[in-house]
């Protein structure tokens, strides 16, 4: 084996050791996407200008299901359906409404407080989505494979604690849970979650038929 090949193998091995992936799955082993993972060791840099994020509306659904943004970031709500939508939220983090409309509203919505924002449509009850507003720089969202790849720049240590959130972890959609990186740090750490029933079917215990009122 020549020196170049040996050096390449050592480099690849170091990558596999340093890399860290959190994998979220249910008890049956099915991957869980849209899990927010937050490490509280670095605040968001407020000096950076954030692009306007997009919470789309396609096929009578919010897309993405969970949108992760930084505190102070703006969100646009384009409507790509042929029907009108009336987007609203009663969440304490950001109560707002965009009355019946098509296309894209002129002004995006600014989210100035950290927390969870649950979205609904006053016309289509099955439409539900979430905006997770974070004030921590090291906040991530699990992909379609249930994975969160943590960057080496975080300086990973096995004592690091993190929080994770998913809208179906609790009935109030707000509960966070805590965990630690495995010790010793493994390439992949599997976290098993037991989620509640699909929130689209249990969205409203009381039907909300008008912004500002519940029935």
């Amino acid at each position: 084996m020549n020196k170049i090949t040996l050096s390449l193998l050592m480099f690849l091995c170091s990558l596999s050791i340093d890399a860290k992936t959190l994998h979220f799955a249910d008890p049956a082993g099915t991957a869980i996407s849209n899990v927010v993972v937050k490490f509280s060791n670095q605040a968001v840099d407020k000096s950076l200008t954030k692009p306007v994020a997009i919470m789309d509306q396609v096929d009578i659904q919010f897309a993405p299901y969970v949108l992760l943004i930084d505190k102070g970031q703006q969100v646009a709500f384009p409507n790509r359906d042929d029907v009108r939508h009336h987007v609203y939220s009663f969440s304490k983090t950001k109560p707002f409404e965009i009355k019946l409309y098509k296309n894209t509203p002129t002004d995006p919505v600014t989210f100035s407080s950290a927390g969870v924002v649950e979205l609904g449509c006053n016309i289509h009850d099955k439409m539900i989505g979430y905006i997770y507003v974070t004030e921590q720089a090291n906040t991530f969202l699990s992909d379609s494979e249930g994975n969160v790849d943590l960057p080496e720049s975080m300086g990973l240590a096995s004592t690091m604690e993190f929080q994770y959130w998913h809208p179906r972890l609790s009935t109030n959609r707000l509960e966070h849970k805590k965990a630690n990186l495995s010790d010793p740090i493994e390439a992949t750490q599997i976290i098993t979650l037991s989620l509640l029933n699909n929130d689209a079917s249990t969205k409203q215990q009381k039907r909300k038929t008008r912004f500002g009122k519940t029935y």
Side-chain angles (χ1 to χ4, degrees), residues 34-145:
N34 296 304
V35 180
V36 174
V37 177
K38 180 170 64 175
F39 291 81
S40 57
N41 58 340
Q42 184 180 354
V44 167
D45 188 346
K46 296 180 181 179
S47 66
L48 297 178
T49 301
K50 304 293 183 180
V52 176
I54 303 296
M55 176 56 86
D56 227 328
Q57 294 150 79
V58 182
D59 296 331
I60 322 292
Q61 295 292 334
F62 287 108
Y65 175 57
V66 175
L67 176 66
L68 175 62
I69 65 170
D70 291 335
K71 180 180 176 181
Q73 196 166 355
Q74 293 185 315
V75 178
F77 292 83
N79 176 4
R80 302 185 194 279
D81 288 328
D82 292 330
V83 297
R84 293 191 296 172
H85 293 305
H86 181 148
V87 177
Y88 71 88
S89 176
F90 291 96
S91 304
K92 292 182 179 180
T93 300
K94 181 66 178 182
F96 74 98
E97 70 169 330
I98 307 174
K99 295 182 178 180
L100 282 170
Y101 72 97
K102 282 188 175 183
N103 302 317
T104 303
T106 303
D107 299 320
V109 179
T110 301
F111 292 80
S112 303
S113 300
V116 178
V117 180
E118 182 176 356
L119 304 174
C121 174
N122 218 17
I123 306 302
H124 308 97
D125 282 345
K126 291 186 177 181
M127 283 183 66
I128 187 166
Y130 297 88
I131 297 176
Y132 191 102
V133 189
T134 183
E135 54 188 353
Q136 302 296 335
N138 291 322
T139 306
F140 311 95
L141 190 68
S142 68
D143 60 22
S144 59
E145 301 298 321

